[in-house]
Amino acid sequence: MPGTGETIVIYPQAIRILHSLLALSMLAQLAVGELMDVPGAAGEPEEARLGIVPAAYAHAGHADVIVPVTAGFEAHECLGLVIAGLLLARLLLAFSSLPETGWRNLFPWLSASGRAALLAEAGAQAGGWMRGRLAPPEEGETVARSVHGLMLLTALGIAAAGVVLFFGWNEHGHQTALIEAVGEVHETLVGLFEALLAAHILAVILHQMQGHNILTRIRPGKA
Ligand code: HEM
Protein backbone atom coordinates (compact mmCIF):
# COMPACT_ATOMS: atom_id res chain seq x y z
CA MET A 1 0.00 0.00 0.00
CA PRO A 2 1.62 3.32 -1.01
CA GLY A 3 1.43 6.47 1.03
CA THR A 4 2.52 5.68 4.55
CA GLY A 5 2.21 8.28 7.27
CA GLU A 6 2.36 11.83 5.94
CA THR A 7 4.23 10.89 2.74
CA ILE A 8 2.42 11.75 -0.48
CA VAL A 9 3.33 9.15 -3.08
CA ILE A 10 3.83 10.77 -6.49
CA TYR A 11 3.26 8.86 -9.73
CA PRO A 12 6.33 8.56 -12.01
CA GLN A 13 6.68 11.39 -14.56
CA ALA A 14 5.87 9.07 -17.50
CA ILE A 15 2.50 8.21 -15.91
CA ARG A 16 1.75 11.84 -15.10
CA ILE A 17 2.41 12.97 -18.68
CA LEU A 18 0.48 10.02 -20.12
CA HIS A 19 -2.46 10.75 -17.80
CA SER A 20 -2.67 14.39 -18.95
CA LEU A 21 -2.55 13.38 -22.61
CA LEU A 22 -5.15 10.65 -22.04
CA ALA A 23 -7.48 12.89 -20.04
CA LEU A 24 -7.33 15.69 -22.64
CA SER A 25 -7.73 13.43 -25.67
CA MET A 26 -10.49 11.31 -24.12
CA LEU A 27 -12.54 14.30 -22.96
CA ALA A 28 -12.17 15.80 -26.46
CA GLN A 29 -13.13 12.45 -28.00
CA LEU A 30 -16.28 12.17 -25.87
CA ALA A 31 -17.33 15.67 -26.98
CA VAL A 32 -16.58 14.98 -30.66
CA GLY A 33 -18.41 11.63 -30.45
CA GLU A 34 -21.53 13.38 -29.16
CA LEU A 35 -21.50 16.10 -31.80
CA MET A 36 -20.33 14.41 -35.00
CA ASP A 37 -22.41 12.96 -37.85
CA VAL A 38 -21.52 9.40 -38.84
CA PRO A 39 -21.32 8.70 -42.57
CA GLY A 40 -23.06 5.48 -43.51
CA ALA A 41 -25.11 5.16 -40.30
CA ALA A 42 -28.49 3.52 -40.85
CA GLY A 43 -31.89 3.46 -39.16
CA GLU A 44 -34.90 5.57 -38.41
CA PRO A 45 -34.21 9.06 -37.07
CA GLU A 46 -35.45 8.10 -33.59
CA GLU A 47 -33.38 4.90 -33.52
CA ALA A 48 -30.38 6.66 -34.89
CA ARG A 49 -30.51 9.06 -31.98
CA LEU A 50 -29.63 6.12 -29.72
CA GLY A 51 -27.24 4.51 -32.13
CA ILE A 52 -23.71 5.11 -33.24
CA VAL A 53 -24.28 8.56 -34.51
CA PRO A 54 -27.77 9.69 -34.42
CA ALA A 55 -27.24 13.26 -35.39
CA ALA A 56 -26.74 12.24 -39.02
CA TYR A 57 -30.32 11.07 -39.26
CA ALA A 58 -31.73 13.60 -36.92
CA HIS A 59 -30.34 16.28 -39.21
CA ALA A 60 -31.30 14.58 -42.43
CA GLY A 61 -34.76 13.60 -41.28
CA HIS A 62 -34.72 10.55 -43.61
CA ALA A 63 -33.68 7.01 -42.81
CA ASP A 64 -32.33 6.48 -46.32
CA VAL A 65 -30.16 9.59 -46.60
CA ILE A 66 -26.46 8.75 -46.48
CA VAL A 67 -24.37 11.44 -44.83
CA PRO A 68 -21.02 12.15 -46.51
CA VAL A 69 -17.78 11.95 -44.55
CA THR A 70 -17.64 14.86 -42.12
CA ALA A 71 -14.75 16.69 -40.45
CA GLY A 72 -16.14 15.58 -37.06
CA PHE A 73 -16.02 11.90 -38.05
CA GLU A 74 -12.47 12.27 -39.39
CA ALA A 75 -11.40 13.99 -36.16
CA HIS A 76 -13.02 11.11 -34.21
CA GLU A 77 -11.00 8.56 -36.23
CA CYS A 78 -7.71 10.45 -35.79
CA LEU A 79 -8.22 11.06 -32.06
CA GLY A 80 -9.24 7.42 -31.66
CA LEU A 81 -5.96 6.22 -33.14
CA VAL A 82 -3.99 8.62 -30.89
CA ILE A 83 -5.90 7.35 -27.82
CA ALA A 84 -5.33 3.72 -28.82
CA GLY A 85 -1.58 4.48 -28.95
CA LEU A 86 -1.64 6.20 -25.53
CA LEU A 87 -3.55 3.29 -23.98
CA LEU A 88 -1.10 0.83 -25.46
CA ALA A 89 1.78 2.82 -23.93
CA ARG A 90 -0.01 2.76 -20.52
CA LEU A 91 -0.56 -0.97 -20.88
CA LEU A 92 3.14 -1.54 -21.58
CA LEU A 93 4.05 0.49 -18.47
CA ALA A 94 1.79 -1.82 -16.43
CA PHE A 95 4.37 -4.53 -17.10
CA SER A 96 7.40 -2.33 -16.38
CA SER A 97 9.27 -1.99 -13.10
CA LEU A 98 8.19 1.65 -12.62
CA PRO A 99 6.69 2.13 -9.13
CA GLU A 100 2.90 2.63 -8.78
CA THR A 101 2.22 1.60 -12.37
CA GLY A 102 2.01 -2.20 -12.34
CA TRP A 103 -0.96 -4.34 -13.26
CA ARG A 104 -1.25 -5.53 -9.65
CA ASN A 105 -1.98 -1.92 -8.68
CA LEU A 106 -4.62 -1.51 -11.37
CA PHE A 107 -6.32 -4.89 -10.94
CA PRO A 108 -6.05 -5.80 -7.22
CA TRP A 109 -9.09 -8.09 -7.56
CA LEU A 110 -6.99 -10.53 -9.61
CA SER A 111 -5.26 -11.86 -6.48
CA ALA A 112 -6.78 -13.29 -3.27
CA SER A 113 -4.86 -10.79 -1.12
CA GLY A 114 -6.01 -7.93 -3.37
CA ARG A 115 -9.65 -9.05 -3.12
CA ALA A 116 -9.33 -9.28 0.67
CA ALA A 117 -7.84 -5.75 0.82
CA LEU A 118 -10.62 -4.48 -1.46
CA LEU A 119 -13.35 -5.94 0.74
CA ALA A 120 -11.70 -4.73 3.97
CA GLU A 121 -11.27 -1.20 2.60
CA ALA A 122 -14.81 -1.02 1.20
CA GLY A 123 -16.18 -2.28 4.53
CA ALA A 124 -14.19 0.26 6.54
CA GLN A 125 -14.90 3.24 4.27
CA ALA A 126 -18.41 2.71 2.86
CA GLY A 127 -20.02 4.60 5.75
CA GLY A 128 -17.96 7.68 4.89
CA TRP A 129 -18.81 7.45 1.17
CA MET A 130 -22.51 7.64 2.05
CA ARG A 131 -21.80 10.97 3.78
CA GLY A 132 -19.64 12.23 0.88
CA ARG A 133 -16.41 11.74 2.82
CA LEU A 134 -13.42 9.92 1.36
CA ALA A 135 -10.53 8.57 3.41
CA PRO A 136 -7.06 9.94 2.54
CA PRO A 137 -4.99 7.71 0.19
CA GLU A 138 -2.68 6.62 3.01
CA GLU A 139 -5.64 4.80 4.61
CA GLY A 140 -5.92 2.55 1.57
CA GLU A 141 -6.52 3.07 -2.11
CA THR A 142 -7.41 -0.38 -3.41
CA VAL A 143 -10.89 0.81 -4.40
CA ALA A 144 -9.55 3.90 -6.22
CA ARG A 145 -6.99 1.77 -8.02
CA SER A 146 -9.66 -0.70 -9.07
CA VAL A 147 -11.65 2.16 -10.60
CA HIS A 148 -8.52 3.36 -12.43
CA GLY A 149 -7.96 -0.16 -13.75
CA LEU A 150 -11.59 -0.49 -14.85
CA MET A 151 -11.36 2.87 -16.63
CA LEU A 152 -8.29 1.70 -18.54
CA LEU A 153 -9.90 -1.66 -19.37
CA THR A 154 -13.10 0.00 -20.59
CA ALA A 155 -11.13 2.53 -22.62
CA LEU A 156 -9.12 -0.32 -24.16
CA GLY A 157 -12.38 -2.10 -25.08
CA ILE A 158 -13.73 1.08 -26.70
CA ALA A 159 -10.47 1.51 -28.60
CA ALA A 160 -10.38 -2.14 -29.75
CA ALA A 161 -13.98 -1.94 -31.01
CA GLY A 162 -13.11 1.42 -32.61
CA VAL A 163 -10.18 -0.10 -34.51
CA VAL A 164 -12.49 -2.85 -35.88
CA LEU A 165 -14.98 -0.15 -36.91
CA PHE A 166 -12.17 1.90 -38.48
CA PHE A 167 -11.42 -0.97 -40.88
CA GLY A 168 -14.93 -2.41 -41.20
CA TRP A 169 -17.35 0.53 -41.21
CA ASN A 170 -18.88 1.22 -44.62
CA GLU A 171 -19.11 4.99 -45.01
CA HIS A 172 -21.54 4.56 -47.91
CA GLY A 173 -24.18 2.82 -45.83
CA HIS A 174 -25.28 -0.78 -45.16
CA GLN A 175 -23.19 -2.31 -42.37
CA THR A 176 -22.76 -6.06 -41.87
CA ALA A 177 -24.42 -7.58 -38.79
CA LEU A 178 -20.97 -8.06 -37.22
CA ILE A 179 -20.03 -4.41 -37.67
CA GLU A 180 -23.43 -3.31 -36.31
CA ALA A 181 -22.79 -5.49 -33.24
CA VAL A 182 -19.27 -4.07 -32.77
CA GLY A 183 -20.80 -0.59 -33.02
CA GLU A 184 -23.24 -1.49 -30.24
CA VAL A 185 -20.38 -2.74 -28.05
CA HIS A 186 -18.46 0.48 -28.75
CA GLU A 187 -21.48 2.59 -27.70
CA THR A 188 -22.26 0.53 -24.59
CA LEU A 189 -18.66 0.72 -23.37
CA VAL A 190 -18.68 4.50 -23.91
CA GLY A 191 -21.68 4.69 -21.54
CA LEU A 192 -19.86 2.57 -18.95
CA PHE A 193 -16.69 4.64 -19.33
CA GLU A 194 -18.64 7.88 -18.84
CA ALA A 195 -20.10 6.54 -15.58
CA LEU A 196 -16.61 5.56 -14.32
CA LEU A 197 -15.17 8.91 -15.42
CA ALA A 198 -17.95 10.76 -13.56
CA ALA A 199 -17.13 8.76 -10.41
CA HIS A 200 -13.38 9.43 -10.93
CA ILE A 201 -13.88 13.17 -11.29
CA LEU A 202 -16.31 13.32 -8.34
CA ALA A 203 -13.76 11.47 -6.17
CA VAL A 204 -11.01 13.89 -7.23
CA ILE A 205 -13.22 16.89 -6.31
CA LEU A 206 -14.13 15.38 -2.91
CA HIS A 207 -10.50 14.50 -2.12
CA GLN A 208 -9.39 18.02 -3.05
CA MET A 209 -12.16 19.58 -0.93
CA GLN A 210 -11.04 17.46 2.00
CA GLY A 211 -7.44 18.66 1.59
CA HIS A 212 -5.91 15.39 0.39
CA ASN A 213 -4.22 17.22 -2.47
CA ILE A 214 -4.18 14.20 -4.77
CA LEU A 215 -3.80 16.36 -7.90
CA THR A 216 -0.16 16.85 -6.83
CA ARG A 217 0.38 13.13 -7.38
CA ILE A 218 -0.67 13.13 -11.01
CA ARG A 219 0.16 16.64 -12.25
CA PRO A 220 3.10 16.60 -14.70
CA GLY A 221 6.18 18.66 -13.90
CA LYS A 222 8.42 18.91 -10.88
CA ALA A 223 6.94 17.16 -7.86
C1 HEM B 1 -10.87 15.98 -15.91
C2 HEM B 1 -10.35 14.78 -16.05
C3 HEM B 1 -9.52 14.04 -15.04
C4 HEM B 1 -9.03 14.43 -13.81
C5 HEM B 1 -9.20 15.76 -13.09
C6 HEM B 1 -8.28 13.31 -13.28
C7 HEM B 1 -7.61 13.31 -12.08
C8 HEM B 1 -6.85 12.26 -11.58
C9 HEM B 1 -6.12 12.26 -10.33
C10 HEM B 1 -6.07 13.41 -9.33
C11 HEM B 1 -5.50 11.07 -10.22
C12 HEM B 1 -4.60 10.62 -9.06
C13 HEM B 1 -5.43 9.74 -8.18
C14 HEM B 1 -4.61 9.19 -7.04
O1 HEM B 1 -4.41 9.92 -6.06
O2 HEM B 1 -4.18 8.04 -7.12
C15 HEM B 1 -5.82 10.30 -11.39
C16 HEM B 1 -5.36 9.04 -11.65
C17 HEM B 1 -5.73 8.30 -12.74
N1 HEM B 1 -6.61 8.67 -13.73
FE1 HEM B 1 -7.49 10.44 -13.94
N2 HEM B 1 -8.34 12.28 -14.18
C18 HEM B 1 -9.09 12.69 -15.27
C19 HEM B 1 -9.38 11.97 -16.39
C20 HEM B 1 -9.00 10.66 -16.60
C21 HEM B 1 -9.31 9.93 -17.79
C22 HEM B 1 -10.10 10.45 -19.00
C23 HEM B 1 -8.79 8.71 -17.63
C24 HEM B 1 -8.92 7.66 -18.68
C25 HEM B 1 -8.44 6.50 -18.70
C26 HEM B 1 -8.13 8.67 -16.33
C27 HEM B 1 -7.48 7.59 -15.76
C28 HEM B 1 -6.71 7.62 -14.62
C29 HEM B 1 -5.85 6.55 -14.18
C30 HEM B 1 -5.69 5.20 -14.88
C31 HEM B 1 -5.24 6.99 -13.01
C32 HEM B 1 -4.18 6.28 -12.16
C33 HEM B 1 -2.81 6.62 -12.75
C34 HEM B 1 -2.36 5.48 -13.64
O3 HEM B 1 -2.19 4.40 -13.10
O4 HEM B 1 -2.21 5.69 -14.87
N3 HEM B 1 -8.28 9.88 -15.73
N4 HEM B 1 -6.65 11.04 -12.19
Side-chain angles (χ1 to χ4, degrees), residues 11 15 19 22-24 26-27 87 90 100-101 106 137 141 144 148-149 151-152 155 193 197 200-201 204 208 214-218:
Y11 285 100
I15 290 289
H19 179 268
L22 256 182
L24 281 178
M26 292 206 70
L27 289 173
L87 287 170
R90 179 62 188 88
E100 304 300 316
T101 60
L106 292 169
E141 42 187 334
H148 298 158
M151 287 173 78
L152 288 176
F193 179 80
L197 181 60
H200 183 60
I201 293 177
V204 172
Q208 290 301 114
I214 60 167
L215 281 173
T216 316
R217 308 173 66 179
I218 200 77

Side-chain angles (χ1 to χ4, degrees), residues 111-122:
S111 70
S113 60
R115 285 193 293 277
L118 200 53
L119 282 177
E121 189 181 310

